[in-house]
Amino acid sequence: MSLDDRWFTEIHAAEGSAFSLKIKAKLHEEQTPFQKIEIYDTETYGKLMIIDGCTMVSTYDNFLYHEMMSHPVLFSHPNPKRVVIIGGGDCGTLREVLKHPGIESAVQVDIDERVTRLSEQYFPELCESNDDPRATLMFDDGIKYVKDLEPGSVDVVIVDSTDPVGPAEGLFSRPFFEDVHRALAPNGLVVQQSESPLYHTDRIIKPMHDMMRAAGFLDVMTITFPQPLYPSGWWSATLACKDMPVMFAREEQAEELPFPTEYYNAAVHRAACASPNFMLKKLMG
Ligand code: SAM
């Protein structure tokens, strides 16, 4: 729904709030077998991708999300080599993962090839590592892909999915987390985007903690970071470790980052791990 034809507005009905961007033009719209994708050119946020009416990616602020979905989990693992990304079809998370020189393979599994093809066209900077020899792009259901993985074959799983509706619903479930747990090698970690701390701690983050623990993960921790494009402007990712406490295992290496970032650094990592009181209460309750 729009205020008028010069604005894109996403209404967050349950919270009685909305987010709007002034647009210059609508560049593309299509209904794929999985979802409706729209691309806009905006006045101030560059290009904007919308899936099923929800903001996904903008040129201007995607670095916040993509860096925080990648670097905290990768610096929490003592020696990550094999990464699987579920979703993430815009390829921004893949680009960040491949900045880590120790990564030997990164497999991105998005259900919808059209997200990647449109990202190549409208967000080429996010796709600049797609031809890296360590990268594999697959187009399949991530739930099925993880179920079929060899036990103990992956160091880090990154779940960069849409909201828990439609094809992404099963990614927010105990059976999925059980399959992720089985696929992870010793010391293995998963990170999953877990929506807004302000709006979704009760409905998404707390159930995710409970399901991850029930699936066998030894420790679970939620990090938070700003993300203007998403509901409330404040977002989260939830990390779980198979068999160890979630910790900043390679803090010294993060202090001397061997690659450029716009948001992530060691101090940001430490700050993102701090839980506000209201979250602590809800997560422990
Ligand atoms: N950063 C975004 C957010 O938090 O809203 C997510 C962006 S990314 C484009 C989300 C991707 O998840 C989409 O490309 C969608 O096709 C993919 N996806 C949804 N369900 C999936 C599933 N079951 N398996 C693999 N990919 C899935």
Side-chain angles (χ1 to χ4, degrees):
M1 181 179 162
S2 305
L3 296 178
D4 64 38
D5 61 4
R6 290 171 298 114
W7 290 84
F8 169 83
T9 295
E10 179 185 341
I11 291 178
H12 317 130
E15 292 82 20
S17 67
F19 176 77
S20 294
L21 282 176
K22 197 166 184 190
I23 59 169
K24 287 197 222 169
K26 186 177 220 178
L27 302 176
H28 187 82
E29 176 178 332
E30 75 178 80
Q31 176 68 49
T32 75
F34 306 101
Q35 51 212 354
K36 181 175 162 191
I37 311 176
E38 294 163 83
I39 310 278
Y40 292 90
D41 194 10
T42 72
E43 291 281 349
T44 53
Y45 273 54
K47 305 287 191 299
L48 172 69
M49 182 187 286
I50 305 295
I51 293 184
D52 285 340
C54 298
T55 52
M56 286 292 127
V57 179
S58 88
T59 311
Y60 183 61
D61 75 349
N62 78 78
F63 66 94
L64 296 160
Y65 177 86
H66 288 138
E67 291 185 12
M68 293 306 280
M69 286 298 290
S70 312
H71 305 311
V73 72
L74 291 174
F75 280 113
S76 296
H77 191 288
N79 188 21
K81 292 183 189 307
R82 300 157 297 177
V83 175
V84 167
I85 301 164
I86 301 299
D90 56 63
C91 305
T93 296
L94 179 68
R95 183 187 69 170
E96 293 305 314
V97 166
L98 290 171
K99 285 181 179 175
H100 289 249
I103 297 300
E104 292 174 357
S105 73
V107 182
Q108 177 187 289
V109 187
D110 197 293
I111 202 165
D112 193 345
E113 180 168 1
R114 289 303 297 152
V115 175
T116 299
R117 299 302 163 225
L118 290 169
S119 190
E120 287 167 345
Q121 190 174 350
Y122 294 107
F123 300 88
E125 70 283 5
L126 299 184
C127 299
E128 60 192 19
S129 298
N130 289 7
D131 293 331
D132 188 302
R134 299 169 296 164
T136 305
L137 271 59
M138 294 181 63
F139 301 104
D140 203 350
D141 184 350
I143 299 166
K144 182 176 161 295
Y145 180 84
V146 170
K147 196 184 273 299
D148 294 343
L149 277 170
E150 277 295 304
S153 62
V154 180
D155 298 313
V156 171
V157 173
I158 299 178
V159 188
D160 178 0
S161 75
T162 38
D163 299 344
V165 284
E169 201 175 346
L171 296 170
F172 293 74
S173 74
R174 179 173 163 175
F176 174 68
F177 295 134
E178 284 169 352
D179 290 338
V180 171
H181 187 272
R182 197 181 33 78
L184 286 171
N187 302 329
L189 285 143
V190 60
V191 62
Q192 176 147 355
Q193 78 88 2
S194 47
E195 312 272 314
S196 163
L198 198 60
Y199 291 168
H200 304 122
T201 297
D202 290 324
R203 196 159 55 81
I204 306 278
I205 302 175
K206 169 80 166 111
M208 194 182 279
H209 276 235
D210 294 345
M211 285 188 288
M212 284 171 157
R213 286 186 195 281
F217 285 91
L218 185 89
D219 194 23
V220 185
M221 185 182 75
T222 294
I223 60 172
T224 71
F225 49 92
Q227 185 60 67
L229 205 62
Y230 296 161
S232 87
W234 189 29
W235 215 240
S236 75
T238 294
L239 287 76
C241 187
K242 186 177 172 112
D243 48 16
M244 295 204 320
V246 178
M247 59 178 124
F248 199 174
R250 293 190 298 130
E251 189 167 1
E252 274 177 32
Q253 288 176 41
E255 291 284 1
E256 307 284 335
L257 274 185
F259 47 76
T261 51
E262 297 292 319
Y263 183 69
Y264 179 86
N265 58 39
V268 162
H269 184 138
R270 286 188 290 271
C273 296
S275 292
N277 284 346
F278 81 90
M279 275 184 78
L280 280 176
K281 257 190 240 158
K282 288 183 175 189
L283 293 176
M284 288 169 175

